[in-house]
Structures are given as structure tokens and as C-alpha cells.
């Protein structure tokens, strides 16, 4: 009597097992990704306050490698080949690193310290694009990141109460240098969601909050970057995104210009370096601020003229050091690890690059060029350019409102990170917060772009 029911019961059991395995699989992946971001946002600050030892931050890398291995298991279980996107670029970089080690006779622990900083989040990128995350899972991760970004505002407000306008007045992360990037990244995604997803007043209010966040964080660079961001976002969201006729939007452009002047003037007034009085609440003088910005980026040290005090002057010093070092150093630098600082250890400064190491304003480009030479800089620089191109392509192809919004923010992120790498600081490659955010955004872009292109090909056929 029950013989006819047995196959049904067996298939039901298999279905329940498959569902349970799928839930467990997704839970593991999400848990590991959540852990990476929670450590990225909070661990550095906890180290600064001596609440946890510095070595705890290494947990991020251990989780990344575990997630990377887990992605192989998922890919194999789904009978799909592994997607090693950008492997030729990073393969070329590794060859350049190996040659640099040989040329400079760096046979110690330093190359490992340097390479782990450069490569760790590439493994994170590979894991995310191969885990087979669903759209709902991507949205869950994005929701967590949205919450983590919002948390920065009240934390900054509390710090403002204690420190006032200062670089210490930032969010839960470690290092004031990120206060330049966080507001612009936030504005990019907020503008995208407000325009293409849902026009909610809260997005506008949060945008104002992140502008104030940058001002109280005492970042002089935002004096120039905020106006560029405002006009760039208007172009992406309305002129190109909504095909608005610029000729009919002169009034809006005037409003954006006036708003940019107000924000830039506020930064000048409250940033002690940008006003002649050198105090919070000084006079607004755009000509003085521009002159100071020029001198600040090109300055040499007043204490020792051998060292540079500006980003442009440090870049020129690095280029001169590399050039005078000969072809071997032009192509392969002075060895992986010669500028690397790590919680795992730091070797004495190489006397050949002492002037670079002692200068202020080392950018990502200077860092890679000095350690790996031109053959190391080219592939990493190409990676940033490829991601900008892919984000631009995705932004133009994407039609679904939620993903269109995310594409807009990711394009802003890609452009900003390329700019930061080339001309501002080293956060795109050796920081613990920006790289995981960046590679997650780029991984989301890679996954969605493939789906969008496949859908476009299917509809055409």
C-alpha cells in the first residue's frame, strides 16, 4: 500500500537536503564576507584604543583565504570551471615581483609582507565572483555595508564633540586619510539610489551628512574634490543617466555651482591650513586656498631639503631616484618590502631609498614603483583602468533600477580609487578598509555585467 509513496518520500527528502545544503552554503559564505567587513570597519580603531592586539587584524586575511578555498568547493559542487579573472595581470605582476627579488637580492621575509598586502584582496575578489551568490545575497551584503557606512556619521559626531575639527574626527575605522574617500564613495552610491531606485529624502539628508563628515574630518583635499564630485554626479545621474538636455538645465547647473562654492568656502573657513589666519573660522579666500594647495603638493621639507613634503614633490623625488638608479631599478624597483610597514614586522629602511621613505605624500603609484619598478606598476595600474572601463560599460548597459544605482556608485568608486592610487595615498592597495570595499564592488560589477551582457545577447538573438 505504501510502495507508491516511497519514491515521493525519497524525492522530498532529497529536495529538503538540497535546500538545507544550499541554505548552509549561503550562510557560510555570507558569514565569512560579513566577518571581513566587520573586521575592516572596526578592528583598526580597536587597535588604536589598545582594546585588541594589532595582530588580530590578520584575521581578515585568514578569513579571505578560507573564503577563497570555499569558493573552489562551491564551484566544483556546481560543476563549473573556476573564473580566474585578471589572472594574466596578476601573473605578470608576480613575475615582476620575482625578478625584483632576484635583482635586488631581497631574500628575506619582507617580500612576503609586501606581496600579502597587494594580493590578499584579489583572492577576495576571485572568491566573490565564484561563489555563485544570488541577487538576494548581494543585496544582503550591500545592506550591511549601507548600515556600516551610516554608523560612521554618529560616531564622527561623537568624536567631533571631543576633538572638534581634526583628522581624529572620523568613523569607526583607523586612519584619517580615509576621510577623503569615504564621503565621495557615499555620495556616489546615494546619488545613484536617489536617482535610479527611489527618490527618498533620506538619501539627500545622508548626502549632506557625509559632506559635513568630510568637513569635520579636516581633509583639505575635499576643497577641490567635492565640487568635481557634485558636477560629475549630476552628469552621471541626470545628463547621461536621464538624458536631460543641458541647455534646459542651466538653473540646476547654477545651483550646483553655488552649492559647490558654499561647500568649498565652508571647508576653507574651518580648515586651518586653507585660510590665512590658520584657525577654525578664518576668512574665506579662494586665491589663498588655491595657492596653499599648489605649494602644499610641491613643497620640499623645510627641515631637510633632501626630503619632500608634498605628493607631487614626493612623486618627482621617487621618479628621480628610480631613474638615477639605472635600468634594473627602473624596471624592477628596489625590492618588494623596501617601503612596507606591517604588524608582522618592518625591516630597516634601505639607504638607497631613504629620501623616499622619509618623505610625506607617498602615493600608491610611488609605493609600487619603488618596490616593484615599472614592470610592477604597469599591471596594477592597468587593473585600475580595466575596472573603470568595466564599470563604465556596466553603467551604460544596466537597466534594472537597483543595479543601475549600484553601478553608478561603483563607477564613482572605481574612478576615485584610480585617482587616489595615482596621486593621493596608498589606501587602494595597503589599507584594511578601502581594498575589501573596492574589490567587493568590482566583484559585484563583474557578476552583474556578465549577466547583463548575456541577457542582451539573448534578447538580440
Amino acid at each position: 500500500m505504501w510502495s507508491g509513496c516511497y519514491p515521493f518520500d525519497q524525492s522530498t527528502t532529497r529536495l529538503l537536503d538540497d535546500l538545507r545544503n544550499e541554505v548552509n552554503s549561503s550562510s557560510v559564505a555570507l558569514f565569512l564576507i560579513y566577518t571581513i567587513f566587520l573586521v575592516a570597519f572596526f578592528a583598526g580603531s580597536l587597535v588604536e584604543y589598545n582594546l585588541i592586539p594589532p595582530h588580530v587584524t590578520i584575521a581578515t586575511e585568514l578569513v579571505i583565504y578560507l573564503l577563497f578555498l570555499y569558493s573552489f568547493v562551491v564551484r566544483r559542487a556546481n560543476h563549473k570551471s573556476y573564473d580566474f579573472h585578471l589572472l594574466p595581470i596578476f601573473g605578470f605582476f608576480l613575475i615582476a615581483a620575482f625578478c625584483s627579488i632576484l635583482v635586488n637580492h631581497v631574500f628575506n621575509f619582507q617580500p612576503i609582507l609586501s606581496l600579502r598586502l597587494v594580493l590578499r584582496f584579489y583572492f577576495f575578489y576571485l572568491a566573490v565572483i565564484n561563489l555563485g551568490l544570488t541577487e538576494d545575497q548581494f543585496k544582503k551584503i550591500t545592506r550591511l555595508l549601507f548600515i556600516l557606512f551610516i554608523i560612521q556619521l554618529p560616531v564622527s559626531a561623537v568624536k567631533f564633540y571631543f576633538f572638534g575639527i581634526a583628522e581624529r574626527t572620523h568613523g569607526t575605522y583607523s586612519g584619517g586619510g580615509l576621510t577623503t574617500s569615504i564621503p565621495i564613495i557615499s555620495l556616489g552610491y546615494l546619488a545613484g539610489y536617489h536617482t535610479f531606485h527611489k527618490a527618498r529624502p533620506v538619501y539627500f539628508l545622508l548626502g549632506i551628512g557625509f559632506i559635513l563628515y568630510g568637513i569635520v574630518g579636516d581633509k583639505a583635499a575635499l576643497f577641490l574634490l567635492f565640487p568635481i564630485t557634485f558636477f560629475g554626479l549630476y552628469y552621471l545621474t541626470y545628463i547621461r543617466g536621464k538624458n536631460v538636455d543641458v541647455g534646459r538645465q542651466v538653473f540646476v547647473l547654477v545651483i550646483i555651482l553655488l552649492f559647490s562654492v558654499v561647500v568649498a568656502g565652508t571647508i576653507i573657513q574651518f580648515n586651518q591650513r586653507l585660510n590665512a589666519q590658520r584657525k577654525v573660522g578664518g576668512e574665506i579666500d579662494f586665491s589663498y586656498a588655491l595657492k596653499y594647495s599648489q605649494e602644499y603638493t610641491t613643497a620640499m621639507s623645510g627641515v631637510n631639503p633632501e626630503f619632500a613634503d608634498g605628493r607631487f614633490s614626493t612623486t618627482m623625488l621617487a621618479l628621480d631616484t628610480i631613474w638615477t638608479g639605472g635600468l634594473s631599478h627602473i624596471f624592477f624597483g628596489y625590492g618588494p618590502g623596501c617601503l612596507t610597514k606591517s604588524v608582522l614586522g618592518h625591516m630597516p629602511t634601505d639607504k638607497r631609498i631613504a629620501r623616499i621613505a622619509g618623505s610625506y605624500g607617498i602615493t600608491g603609484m610611488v609605493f609600487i614603483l619603488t618596490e616593484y619598478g615599472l614592470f610592477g606598476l604597469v599591471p596594477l595600474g592597468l587593473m585600475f583602468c580595466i575596472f573603470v572601463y568595466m564599470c563604465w560599460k556596466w553603467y551604460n548597459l544596466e537597466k534594472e533600477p537597483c543595479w543601475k544605482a549600484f553601478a553608478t556608485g561603483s563607477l564613482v568608486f572605481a574612478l576615485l580609487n584610480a585617482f587616489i592610487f595615482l596621486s593621493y595615498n596608498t589606501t587602494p592597495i595597503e589599507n584594511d578598509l578601502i581594498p575589501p570595499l573596492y574589490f567587493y564592488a568590482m566583484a559585484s560589477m563583474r557578476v552583474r555585467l556578465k549577466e547583463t551582457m548575456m541577457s542582451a545577447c539573448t534578447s538580440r538573438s
Side-chain angles (χ1 to χ4, degrees), residues 271-289:
N271 191 296
Q272 299 180 50
R273 293 174 292 169
L274 291 177
N275 60 69
Q277 290 72 37
R278 294 283 178 162
K279 67 177 185 179
V280 175
E283 294 181 3
I284 300 175
D285 186 340
F286 285 92
S287 61
Y288 177 87

Side-chain angles (χ1 to χ4, degrees), residues 22 31 56:
E22 184 177 347
F31 173 77
V56 173

